[in-house]
């Protein structure tokens, strides 16, 4: 029996000729990631185990992105704990304010992760790097600590679902609509414990940013990882950033998939996940009249330069509706600078939006845009659980940057062709 | 090990944001986290829970964020066992790693009601609803995972190796 892309990467890192679904393996890691929320717990576990040193400090990254710039004294203390640990144990890939960005945009940008890698991160959206042809998955803080101690992690080899993406995406359709459509189709546990492998003639129309968005939200379908094959788009992105060898894996012709699902990208409509689960997806005819108080354009899901360009295209020459707060958050300093040089900030500010420093901030109800009781936000973020962006009685509608920007102008949930 | 306690029952897709909201993640203190456990879906939980009590839930328990703070908050609140139809995979790993007992048993979930007294022999996976007298058997863990549980969590299991 052949192997999937994901299984081939796991086999290579476990130094095995082949693996099969359900097999338990120990595999070597290329990168272990933590952030300012999960690293303090990992530090506690690591120090509690009296480990003498980090096995491979160059294979550890710590990104202070969730509650930074430190939102309060406790957040500052947490970052200080991690900073001291990084200094003590020689973690060079420690990124604080000024160097940091949202972790899942920053690590690819810095070439710290790439094709063929095996990556674990104490953050559920670590699955993002599948866009680069890596096997990448979220774990907890104890797994992160064990990864730092041994440079290894145990895995149950996942089975997989194949998504064949066909044709060119329709107008106003980007990675966010594609992944929301898929989550709507299979549900928030539709890929539980499994790989989501994306192939088909449609993927050549998807930018690397679209692919980041799609793999980023694989976890919202319960998946262990999401992955794209390596092609010219991947190589162009990795070129000049990723200095290790590119290891491109394709699934064997006889690889076993539990299901194959075809998605016609040319037939998709702007797709929004209504509260309070990412699977509650609706297309414009079913949106109704949803008045909004806030729009957030950013996050590890949609804070890339192409997302900001999309938002600027919609907002150019228009105004954010009175009573709506529109917050734009470039995911990294490099993206921030690029957006500034391209004049996107003029567009945002003239429209009445604000531009924040890179942070996860409002996505998880941390800071920089928290909702009051009864308030509603359209956000390009990844979760709309109860209380996710603030008060337990607030609501989050997950959408693409097209829809988020259009909604900011309309003052209600709106499709870009409505404005 | 045998546990026995009162059941707190929840539905499907209980996410880690409601188990411990992110607004409390500026600390890694287990007792501080436990003080806010489940508050966004069950304000009474922290006032009613007693050491040894049992949580029962539907599909995909613990979905969402990777925060280990979620099983830490549940464990520190006093919950001795979580029984669900299924667990989200990161929550599953985290629970095994930190030593929060979890069992998958849809038959038990369907039959057990909130407030029932339930006992369980964790090693055998035998669950008894003492209120109704019904008995259920959970799927055993694979030996690899049972070994981590027996050694007292992931760090202890790799340290001894």
């Amino acid at each position: 029996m052949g192997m999937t892309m994901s299984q081939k990467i796991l086999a290579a890192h476990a130094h095995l000729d082949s693996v099969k679904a359900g097999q338990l393996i120990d595999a070597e890691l290329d990168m272990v990631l933590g952030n300012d929320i999960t690293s303090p717990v990992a530090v506690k576990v690591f120090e509690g185990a009296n480990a003498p040193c980090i096995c491979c400090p160059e294979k550890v990254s710590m990104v202070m992105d969730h509650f930074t710039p430190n939102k309060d004294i406790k957040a500052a203390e947490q970052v200080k704990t991690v900073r001291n640990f990084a200094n003590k144990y020689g973690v060079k890939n420690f990124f604080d304010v000024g160097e940091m960005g949202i972790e899942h945009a920053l690590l690819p940008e810095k070439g710290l992760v790439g094709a063929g890698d095996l990556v674990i991160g104490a953050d559920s959206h670590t699955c993002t790097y599948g866009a680069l042809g890596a096997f990448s998955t979220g774990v907890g803080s104890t797994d992160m600590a064990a990864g730092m101690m041994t440079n290894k992690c145990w895995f149950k080899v996942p089975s997989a679902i194949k998504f064949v993406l066909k044709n060119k995406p329709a107008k106003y359709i980007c990675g966010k609509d594609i992944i929301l459509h898929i989550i709507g189709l299979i549900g928030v546990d539709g890929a539980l414990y499994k790989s989501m492998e994306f192939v088909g003639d449609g993927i050549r129309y998807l930018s690397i940013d679209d692919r980041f968005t799609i793999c980023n939200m694989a976890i919202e379908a319960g998946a262990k990882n999401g992955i794209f094959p390596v092609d010219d788009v991947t190589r162009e992105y990795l070129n000049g950033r990723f200095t290790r060898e590119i290891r491109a894996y394709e699934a064997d012709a006889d690889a076993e998939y539990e299901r194959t699902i075809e998605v016609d990208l040319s037939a998709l409509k702007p797709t929004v996940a209504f509260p309070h689960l990412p699977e509650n997806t609706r297309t414009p005819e079913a949106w109704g009249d949803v008045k909004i108080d806030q729009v957030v354009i950013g996050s590890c899901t949609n804070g890339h330069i192409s997302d900001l360009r999309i938002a600027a295209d919609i907002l150019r020459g228009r105004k954010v509706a009175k009573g709506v707060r529109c917050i734009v958050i470039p995911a990294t300093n490099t993206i921030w600078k690029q957006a500034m040089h391209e004049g996107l900030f003029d567009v945002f500010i003239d429209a009445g939006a604000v531009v924040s420093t890179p942070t996860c901030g409002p996505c998880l109800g941390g800071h920089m845009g928290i909702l009051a009781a009864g308030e509603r936000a359209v956000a390009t973020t990844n979760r709309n659980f109860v209380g996710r962006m603030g008060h337990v009685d607030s609501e989050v509608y997950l959408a693409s940057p097209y829809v988020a920007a259009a909604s900011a102008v309309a003052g209600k949930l709106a499709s870009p062709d409505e404005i | 090990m045998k546990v026995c306690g009162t059941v707190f029952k929840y539905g499907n897709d209980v996410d880690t944001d409601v188990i411990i909201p992110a607004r409390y993640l500026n600390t890694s203190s287990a007792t501080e986290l436990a003080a806010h456990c489940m508050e966004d879906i069950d304000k009474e939980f922290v006032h009613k829970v007693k050491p040894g009590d049992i949580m029962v839930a539907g599909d995909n328990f613990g979905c969402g964020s990777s925060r280990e703070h979620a099983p830490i908050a549940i464990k520190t609140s006093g919950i001795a066992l979580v029984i669900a139809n299924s667990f989200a995979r990161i929550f599953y790993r985290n629970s095994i790693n930190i030593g929060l007992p979890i069992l998958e048993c849809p038959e038990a979930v369907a039959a057990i009601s909130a407030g029932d007294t339930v006992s369980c022999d964790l090693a055998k996976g035998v669950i008894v609803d003492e209120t109704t007298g019904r008995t259920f058997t959970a799927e055993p863990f694979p030996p690899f995972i049972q070994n981590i549980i027996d050694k007292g969590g992931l760090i202890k299991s790799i340290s001894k190796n």
Side-chain angles (χ1 to χ4, degrees), chain A residues 44 72 74 78 137 139-143 154 193 364 383 388, chain B residues 17 22 25-26 28 32 64-66 68 87 89 93-94 97:
Chain A
K44 214 186 253 187
D72 54 28
K74 283 180 167 182
Q78 294 212 114
T137 190
V139 296
S141 297
T142 298
D143 277 315
W154 68 267
Y193 300 111
L364 77 162
R383 292 196 173 122
R388 175 75 180 180
Chain B
D17 275 272
L25 296 185
N26 54 4
S28 59
E32 270 187 73
S65 154
S66 70
E68 205 160 288
F87 292 91
R89 55 161 288 278
R93 283 187 83 101
N94 288 346
N97 286 347

PDB file of all heavy atoms in Angstrom, chain A residues 44 72 74 78 137 139-143 154 193 364 383 388, chain B residues 17 22 25-26 28 32 64-66 68 87 89 93-94 97:
ATOM      1  N   LYS A  44       7.874  25.695  32.608  1.00  0.00           N
ATOM      2  CA  LYS A  44       7.614  25.102  33.926  1.00  0.00           C
ATOM      3  C   LYS A  44       7.843  23.588  33.887  1.00  0.00           C
ATOM      4  O   LYS A  44       8.491  23.014  34.764  1.00  0.00           O
ATOM      5  CB  LYS A  44       6.155  25.399  34.311  1.00  0.00           C
ATOM      6  CG  LYS A  44       5.912  25.621  35.788  1.00  0.00           C
ATOM      7  CD  LYS A  44       4.413  25.763  36.037  1.00  0.00           C
ATOM      8  CE  LYS A  44       4.020  27.184  36.347  1.00  0.00           C
ATOM      9  NZ  LYS A  44       2.603  27.299  36.762  1.00  0.00           N
ATOM     10  N   ASP A  72      -0.758  43.558  29.876  1.00  0.00           N
ATOM     11  CA  ASP A  72      -0.891  43.872  31.296  1.00  0.00           C
ATOM     12  C   ASP A  72       0.313  43.292  32.042  1.00  0.00           C
ATOM     13  O   ASP A  72       1.205  42.702  31.426  1.00  0.00           O
ATOM     14  CB  ASP A  72      -2.222  43.349  31.862  1.00  0.00           C
ATOM     15  CG  ASP A  72      -2.440  41.861  31.596  1.00  0.00           C
ATOM     16  OD1 ASP A  72      -1.440  41.123  31.483  1.00  0.00           O
ATOM     17  OD2 ASP A  72      -3.612  41.437  31.513  1.00  0.00           O
ATOM     18  N   LYS A  74       0.621  40.798  34.130  1.00  0.00           N
ATOM     19  CA  LYS A  74       0.754  39.338  34.089  1.00  0.00           C
ATOM     20  C   LYS A  74       1.320  38.881  32.742  1.00  0.00           C
ATOM     21  O   LYS A  74       2.149  37.970  32.684  1.00  0.00           O
ATOM     22  CB  LYS A  74      -0.598  38.673  34.329  1.00  0.00           C
ATOM     23  CG  LYS A  74      -1.034  38.674  35.784  1.00  0.00           C
ATOM     24  CD  LYS A  74      -2.373  37.985  35.876  1.00  0.00           C
ATOM     25  CE  LYS A  74      -2.736  37.660  37.299  1.00  0.00           C
ATOM     26  NZ  LYS A  74      -4.019  36.952  37.355  1.00  0.00           N
ATOM     27  N   GLN A  78       4.830  36.856  31.968  1.00  0.00           N
ATOM     28  CA  GLN A  78       4.923  35.607  31.191  1.00  0.00           C
ATOM     29  C   GLN A  78       6.022  35.719  30.128  1.00  0.00           C
ATOM     30  O   GLN A  78       6.822  34.808  29.931  1.00  0.00           O
ATOM     31  CB  GLN A  78       3.586  35.278  30.515  1.00  0.00           C
ATOM     32  CG  GLN A  78       2.480  34.954  31.507  1.00  0.00           C
ATOM     33  CD  GLN A  78       1.493  33.937  30.961  1.00  0.00           C
ATOM     34  OE1 GLN A  78       1.398  32.823  31.474  1.00  0.00           O
ATOM     35  NE2 GLN A  78       0.742  34.296  29.953  1.00  0.00           N
ATOM     36  N   THR A 137       1.994  20.287  12.894  1.00  0.00           N
ATOM     37  CA  THR A 137       0.798  20.053  13.702  1.00  0.00           C
ATOM     38  C   THR A 137       0.888  20.699  15.079  1.00  0.00           C
ATOM     39  O   THR A 137       1.981  20.859  15.625  1.00  0.00           O
ATOM     40  CB  THR A 137       0.524  18.533  13.829  1.00  0.00           C
ATOM     41  OG1 THR A 137      -0.759  18.323  14.416  1.00  0.00           O
ATOM     42  CG2 THR A 137       1.568  17.834  14.683  1.00  0.00           C
ATOM     43  N   VAL A 139       0.381  20.960  19.119  1.00  0.00           N
ATOM     44  CA  VAL A 139       0.470  20.090  20.296  1.00  0.00           C
ATOM     45  C   VAL A 139       0.311  20.982  21.527  1.00  0.00           C
ATOM     46  O   VAL A 139       0.082  22.182  21.397  1.00  0.00           O
ATOM     47  CB  VAL A 139       1.826  19.347  20.347  1.00  0.00           C
ATOM     48  CG1 VAL A 139       1.979  18.390  19.168  1.00  0.00           C
ATOM     49  CG2 VAL A 139       2.984  20.329  20.409  1.00  0.00           C
ATOM     50  N   GLY A 140       0.480  20.412  22.710  1.00  0.00           N
ATOM     51  CA  GLY A 140       0.392  21.196  23.929  1.00  0.00           C
ATOM     52  C   GLY A 140       1.761  21.543  24.473  1.00  0.00           C
ATOM     53  O   GLY A 140       2.791  21.239  23.855  1.00  0.00           O
ATOM     54  N   SER A 141       1.759  22.164  25.646  1.00  0.00           N
ATOM     55  CA  SER A 141       3.014  22.649  26.222  1.00  0.00           C
ATOM     56  C   SER A 141       3.915  21.512  26.701  1.00  0.00           C
ATOM     57  O   SER A 141       5.143  21.628  26.635  1.00  0.00           O
ATOM     58  CB  SER A 141       2.706  23.579  27.398  1.00  0.00           C
ATOM     59  OG  SER A 141       1.998  24.706  26.939  1.00  0.00           O
ATOM     60  N   THR A 142       3.323  20.409  27.179  1.00  0.00           N
ATOM     61  CA  THR A 142       4.153  19.283  27.632  1.00  0.00           C
ATOM     62  C   THR A 142       4.854  18.636  26.447  1.00  0.00           C
ATOM     63  O   THR A 142       6.031  18.271  26.533  1.00  0.00           O
ATOM     64  CB  THR A 142       3.298  18.264  28.408  1.00  0.00           C
ATOM     65  OG1 THR A 142       2.762  18.924  29.557  1.00  0.00           O
ATOM     66  CG2 THR A 142       4.128  17.065  28.859  1.00  0.00           C
ATOM     67  N   ASP A 143       4.140  18.511  25.320  1.00  0.00           N
ATOM     68  CA  ASP A 143       4.781  18.003  24.105  1.00  0.00           C
ATOM     69  C   ASP A 143       5.905  18.937  23.659  1.00  0.00           C
ATOM     70  O   ASP A 143       6.949  18.490  23.180  1.00  0.00           O
ATOM     71  CB  ASP A 143       3.757  17.863  22.972  1.00  0.00           C
ATOM     72  CG  ASP A 143       2.970  16.563  23.054  1.00  0.00           C
ATOM     73  OD1 ASP A 143       3.595  15.509  23.282  1.00  0.00           O
ATOM     74  OD2 ASP A 143       1.743  16.597  22.884  1.00  0.00           O
ATOM     75  N   TRP A 154       6.150  11.759  19.659  1.00  0.00           N
ATOM     76  CA  TRP A 154       5.427  10.571  19.188  1.00  0.00           C
ATOM     77  C   TRP A 154       4.215  10.999  18.365  1.00  0.00           C
ATOM     78  O   TRP A 154       3.601  12.015  18.641  1.00  0.00           O
ATOM     79  CB  TRP A 154       5.029   9.639  20.342  1.00  0.00           C
ATOM     80  CG  TRP A 154       3.987  10.149  21.292  1.00  0.00           C
ATOM     81  CD1 TRP A 154       4.206  10.810  22.460  1.00  0.00           C
ATOM     82  CD2 TRP A 154       2.557  10.037  21.167  1.00  0.00           C
ATOM     83  NE1 TRP A 154       3.013  11.124  23.065  1.00  0.00           N
ATOM     84  CE2 TRP A 154       1.985  10.658  22.291  1.00  0.00           C
ATOM     85  CE3 TRP A 154       1.712   9.472  20.219  1.00  0.00           C
ATOM     86  CZ2 TRP A 154       0.612  10.732  22.505  1.00  0.00           C
ATOM     87  CZ3 TRP A 154       0.331   9.538  20.424  1.00  0.00           C
ATOM     88  CH2 TRP A 154      -0.198  10.162  21.556  1.00  0.00           C
ATOM     89  N   TYR A 193      -8.380  13.784  13.751  1.00  0.00           N
ATOM     90  CA  TYR A 193      -7.185  12.909  13.766  1.00  0.00           C
ATOM     91  C   TYR A 193      -6.591  12.658  12.373  1.00  0.00           C
ATOM     92  O   TYR A 193      -5.624  11.923  12.241  1.00  0.00           O
ATOM     93  CB  TYR A 193      -7.466  11.541  14.417  1.00  0.00           C
ATOM     94  CG  TYR A 193      -7.927  11.612  15.842  1.00  0.00           C
ATOM     95  CD1 TYR A 193      -9.223  11.278  16.198  1.00  0.00           C
ATOM     96  CD2 TYR A 193      -7.041  12.023  16.846  1.00  0.00           C
ATOM     97  CE1 TYR A 193      -9.646  11.360  17.525  1.00  0.00           C
ATOM     98  CE2 TYR A 193      -7.455  12.109  18.160  1.00  0.00           C
ATOM     99  CZ  TYR A 193      -8.760  11.768  18.501  1.00  0.00           C
ATOM    100  OH  TYR A 193      -9.174  11.848  19.791  1.00  0.00           O
ATOM    101  N   LEU A 364      -8.247  36.114  19.792  1.00  0.00           N
ATOM    102  CA  LEU A 364      -8.578  35.238  20.920  1.00  0.00           C
ATOM    103  C   LEU A 364      -9.089  36.032  22.111  1.00  0.00           C
ATOM    104  O   LEU A 364      -9.052  35.565  23.251  1.00  0.00           O
ATOM    105  CB  LEU A 364      -7.374  34.362  21.308  1.00  0.00           C
ATOM    106  CG  LEU A 364      -6.239  34.994  22.103  1.00  0.00           C
ATOM    107  CD1 LEU A 364      -5.404  33.920  22.756  1.00  0.00           C
ATOM    108  CD2 LEU A 364      -5.395  35.899  21.278  1.00  0.00           C
ATOM    109  N   ARG A 383     -11.702  31.556  14.519  1.00  0.00           N
ATOM    110  CA  ARG A 383     -12.651  30.903  15.443  1.00  0.00           C
ATOM    111  C   ARG A 383     -13.746  31.872  15.837  1.00  0.00           C
ATOM    112  O   ARG A 383     -13.477  33.052  16.063  1.00  0.00           O
ATOM    113  CB  ARG A 383     -11.925  30.416  16.701  1.00  0.00           C
ATOM    114  CG  ARG A 383     -10.979  29.288  16.383  1.00  0.00           C
ATOM    115  CD  ARG A 383     -10.520  28.517  17.608  1.00  0.00           C
ATOM    116  NE  ARG A 383      -9.755  27.388  17.134  1.00  0.00           N
ATOM    117  CZ  ARG A 383      -8.487  27.122  17.467  1.00  0.00           C
ATOM    118  NH1 ARG A 383      -7.856  27.895  18.336  1.00  0.00           N
ATOM    119  NH2 ARG A 383      -7.875  26.092  16.961  1.00  0.00           N
ATOM    120  N   ARG A 388     -15.181  34.228  22.137  1.00  0.00           N
ATOM    121  CA  ARG A 388     -13.835  34.186  21.559  1.00  0.00           C
ATOM    122  C   ARG A 388     -13.189  35.573  21.470  1.00  0.00           C
ATOM    123  O   ARG A 388     -12.006  35.727  21.702  1.00  0.00           O
ATOM    124  CB  ARG A 388     -13.907  33.545  20.168  1.00  0.00           C
ATOM    125  CG  ARG A 388     -12.606  33.543  19.387  1.00  0.00           C
ATOM    126  CD  ARG A 388     -11.613  32.523  19.896  1.00  0.00           C
ATOM    127  NE  ARG A 388     -10.392  32.564  19.098  1.00  0.00           N
ATOM    128  CZ  ARG A 388      -9.325  31.796  19.292  1.00  0.00           C
ATOM    129  NH1 ARG A 388      -9.324  30.913  20.281  1.00  0.00           N
ATOM    130  NH2 ARG A 388      -8.269  31.893  18.550  1.00  0.00           N
TER     131      ARG A 388
ATOM    132  N   ASP B  17     -11.860  27.406  24.451  1.00  0.00           N
ATOM    133  CA  ASP B  17     -12.140  28.795  24.831  1.00  0.00           C
ATOM    134  C   ASP B  17     -13.204  28.869  25.921  1.00  0.00           C
ATOM    135  O   ASP B  17     -13.184  29.805  26.719  1.00  0.00           O
ATOM    136  CB  ASP B  17     -12.595  29.609  23.613  1.00  0.00           C
ATOM    137  CG  ASP B  17     -11.421  30.140  22.818  1.00  0.00           C
ATOM    138  OD1 ASP B  17     -10.938  31.228  23.131  1.00  0.00           O
ATOM    139  OD2 ASP B  17     -10.984  29.449  21.883  1.00  0.00           O
ATOM    140  N   ALA B  22      -9.567  32.792  26.985  1.00  0.00           N
ATOM    141  CA  ALA B  22      -8.222  33.352  26.754  1.00  0.00           C
ATOM    142  C   ALA B  22      -7.933  34.552  27.649  1.00  0.00           C
ATOM    143  O   ALA B  22      -6.780  34.842  27.933  1.00  0.00           O
ATOM    144  CB  ALA B  22      -8.064  33.732  25.289  1.00  0.00           C
ATOM    145  N   LEU B  25      -5.575  33.670  30.254  1.00  0.00           N
ATOM    146  CA  LEU B  25      -4.337  32.957  29.894  1.00  0.00           C
ATOM    147  C   LEU B  25      -3.083  33.788  30.149  1.00  0.00           C
ATOM    148  O   LEU B  25      -1.996  33.422  29.713  1.00  0.00           O
ATOM    149  CB  LEU B  25      -4.368  32.507  28.432  1.00  0.00           C
ATOM    150  CG  LEU B  25      -5.456  31.493  28.069  1.00  0.00           C
ATOM    151  CD1 LEU B  25      -5.294  31.032  26.633  1.00  0.00           C
ATOM    152  CD2 LEU B  25      -5.436  30.292  29.013  1.00  0.00           C
ATOM    153  N   ASN B  26      -3.241  34.907  30.843  1.00  0.00           N
ATOM    154  CA  ASN B  26      -2.038  35.660  31.199  1.00  0.00           C
ATOM    155  C   ASN B  26      -1.413  35.116  32.482  1.00  0.00           C
ATOM    156  O   ASN B  26      -0.571  35.734  33.107  1.00  0.00           O
ATOM    157  CB  ASN B  26      -2.335  37.167  31.309  1.00  0.00           C
ATOM    158  CG  ASN B  26      -3.473  37.476  32.260  1.00  0.00           C
ATOM    159  OD1 ASN B  26      -4.016  36.576  32.905  1.00  0.00           O
ATOM    160  ND2 ASN B  26      -3.841  38.743  32.355  1.00  0.00           N
ATOM    161  N   SER B  28      -0.082  31.091  34.249  1.00  0.00           N
ATOM    162  CA  SER B  28      -0.028  29.635  34.110  1.00  0.00           C
ATOM    163  C   SER B  28      -0.251  28.977  35.470  1.00  0.00           C
ATOM    164  O   SER B  28       0.016  27.798  35.650  1.00  0.00           O
ATOM    165  CB  SER B  28       1.306  29.201  33.489  1.00  0.00           C
ATOM    166  OG  SER B  28       2.376  29.638  34.284  1.00  0.00           O
ATOM    167  N   GLU B  32      -5.370  29.452  39.696  1.00  0.00           N
ATOM    168  CA  GLU B  32      -6.052  30.614  39.097  1.00  0.00           C
ATOM    169  C   GLU B  32      -6.875  30.185  37.890  1.00  0.00           C
ATOM    170  O   GLU B  32      -7.999  30.650  37.682  1.00  0.00           O
ATOM    171  CB  GLU B  32      -5.024  31.657  38.632  1.00  0.00           C
ATOM    172  CG  GLU B  32      -4.664  32.678  39.689  1.00  0.00           C
ATOM    173  CD  GLU B  32      -3.775  33.773  39.104  1.00  0.00           C
ATOM    174  OE1 GLU B  32      -4.289  34.607  38.345  1.00  0.00           O
ATOM    175  OE2 GLU B  32      -2.560  33.768  39.401  1.00  0.00           O
ATOM    176  N   GLY B  64     -10.472  23.168  19.286  1.00  0.00           N
ATOM    177  CA  GLY B  64      -9.971  24.540  19.237  1.00  0.00           C
ATOM    178  C   GLY B  64      -8.519  24.636  19.622  1.00  0.00           C
ATOM    179  O   GLY B  64      -7.695  23.823  19.213  1.00  0.00           O
ATOM    180  N   SER B  65      -8.237  25.609  20.460  1.00  0.00           N
ATOM    181  CA  SER B  65      -6.863  25.983  20.821  1.00  0.00           C
ATOM    182  C   SER B  65      -6.087  24.831  21.449  1.00  0.00           C
ATOM    183  O   SER B  65      -6.654  23.919  22.042  1.00  0.00           O
ATOM    184  CB  SER B  65      -6.944  27.147  21.803  1.00  0.00           C
ATOM    185  OG  SER B  65      -5.827  27.204  22.632  1.00  0.00           O
ATOM    186  N   SER B  66      -4.756  24.897  21.340  1.00  0.00           N
ATOM    187  CA  SER B  66      -3.885  23.855  21.892  1.00  0.00           C
ATOM    188  C   SER B  66      -3.617  24.055  23.381  1.00  0.00           C
ATOM    189  O   SER B  66      -2.888  23.280  23.982  1.00  0.00           O
ATOM    190  CB  SER B  66      -2.555  23.854  21.150  1.00  0.00           C
ATOM    191  OG  SER B  66      -1.831  25.020  21.478  1.00  0.00           O
ATOM    192  N   GLU B  68      -2.830  23.953  26.898  1.00  0.00           N
ATOM    193  CA  GLU B  68      -2.798  22.886  27.906  1.00  0.00           C
ATOM    194  C   GLU B  68      -3.466  23.369  29.189  1.00  0.00           C
ATOM    195  O   GLU B  68      -3.807  22.579  30.073  1.00  0.00           O
ATOM    196  CB  GLU B  68      -1.333  22.509  28.171  1.00  0.00           C
ATOM    197  CG  GLU B  68      -1.133  21.113  28.681  1.00  0.00           C
ATOM    198  CD  GLU B  68       0.300  20.640  28.451  1.00  0.00           C
ATOM    199  OE1 GLU B  68       0.650  20.370  27.291  1.00  0.00           O
ATOM    200  OE2 GLU B  68       1.062  20.559  29.431  1.00  0.00           O
ATOM    201  N   PHE B  87     -12.698  12.927  21.610  1.00  0.00           N
ATOM    202  CA  PHE B  87     -11.919  14.097  22.039  1.00  0.00           C
ATOM    203  C   PHE B  87     -11.201  14.697  20.845  1.00  0.00           C
ATOM    204  O   PHE B  87     -10.726  13.974  19.960  1.00  0.00           O
ATOM    205  CB  PHE B  87     -10.867  13.683  23.083  1.00  0.00           C
ATOM    206  CG  PHE B  87     -11.459  13.256  24.386  1.00  0.00           C
ATOM    207  CD1 PHE B  87     -11.765  11.914  24.613  1.00  0.00           C
ATOM    208  CD2 PHE B  87     -11.756  14.180  25.374  1.00  0.00           C
ATOM    209  CE1 PHE B  87     -12.327  11.507  25.814  1.00  0.00           C
ATOM    210  CE2 PHE B  87     -12.323  13.781  26.576  1.00  0.00           C
ATOM    211  CZ  PHE B  87     -12.610  12.432  26.805  1.00  0.00           C
ATOM    212  N   ARG B  89      -7.991  16.139  19.034  1.00  0.00           N
ATOM    213  CA  ARG B  89      -6.735  15.401  19.175  1.00  0.00           C
ATOM    214  C   ARG B  89      -5.700  16.092  20.076  1.00  0.00           C
ATOM    215  O   ARG B  89      -4.981  15.420  20.802  1.00  0.00           O
ATOM    216  CB  ARG B  89      -6.117  15.050  17.821  1.00  0.00           C
ATOM    217  CG  ARG B  89      -5.873  16.171  16.875  1.00  0.00           C
ATOM    218  CD  ARG B  89      -4.873  15.758  15.824  1.00  0.00           C
ATOM    219  NE  ARG B  89      -3.540  15.657  16.387  1.00  0.00           N
ATOM    220  CZ  ARG B  89      -2.738  16.678  16.565  1.00  0.00           C
ATOM    221  NH1 ARG B  89      -3.105  17.895  16.229  1.00  0.00           N
ATOM    222  NH2 ARG B  89      -1.534  16.509  17.082  1.00  0.00           N
ATOM    223  N   ARG B  93      -4.078  14.450  23.518  1.00  0.00           N
ATOM    224  CA  ARG B  93      -2.642  14.351  23.826  1.00  0.00           C
ATOM    225  C   ARG B  93      -2.324  15.046  25.151  1.00  0.00           C
ATOM    226  O   ARG B  93      -1.609  14.503  25.995  1.00  0.00           O
ATOM    227  CB  ARG B  93      -1.810  15.064  22.751  1.00  0.00           C
ATOM    228  CG  ARG B  93      -1.620  14.357  21.468  1.00  0.00           C
ATOM    229  CD  ARG B  93      -0.628  15.136  20.603  1.00  0.00           C
ATOM    230  NE  ARG B  93       0.747  14.824  20.942  1.00  0.00           N
ATOM    231  CZ  ARG B  93       1.531  13.989  20.257  1.00  0.00           C
ATOM    232  NH1 ARG B  93       1.069  13.405  19.174  1.00  0.00           N
ATOM    233  NH2 ARG B  93       2.759  13.759  20.650  1.00  0.00           N
ATOM    234  N   ASN B  94      -2.842  16.272  25.293  1.00  0.00           N
ATOM    235  CA  ASN B  94      -2.531  17.062  26.488  1.00  0.00           C
ATOM    236  C   ASN B  94      -3.004  16.360  27.754  1.00  0.00           C
ATOM    237  O   ASN B  94      -2.310  16.366  28.780  1.00  0.00           O
ATOM    238  CB  ASN B  94      -3.186  18.444  26.395  1.00  0.00           C
ATOM    239  CG  ASN B  94      -2.505  19.349  25.378  1.00  0.00           C
ATOM    240  OD1 ASN B  94      -1.397  19.069  24.918  1.00  0.00           O
ATOM    241  ND2 ASN B  94      -3.152  20.440  25.019  1.00  0.00           N
ATOM    242  N   ASN B  97      -0.758  13.512  28.495  1.00  0.00           N
ATOM    243  CA  ASN B  97       0.560  14.030  28.894  1.00  0.00           C
ATOM    244  C   ASN B  97       0.596  14.551  30.321  1.00  0.00           C
ATOM    245  O   ASN B  97       1.601  14.435  31.001  1.00  0.00           O
ATOM    246  CB  ASN B  97       1.000  15.145  27.932  1.00  0.00           C
ATOM    247  CG  ASN B  97       1.431  14.614  26.579  1.00  0.00           C
ATOM    248  OD1 ASN B  97       1.639  13.407  26.414  1.00  0.00           O
ATOM    249  ND2 ASN B  97       1.581  15.488  25.598  1.00  0.00           N
TER     250      ASN B  97
END
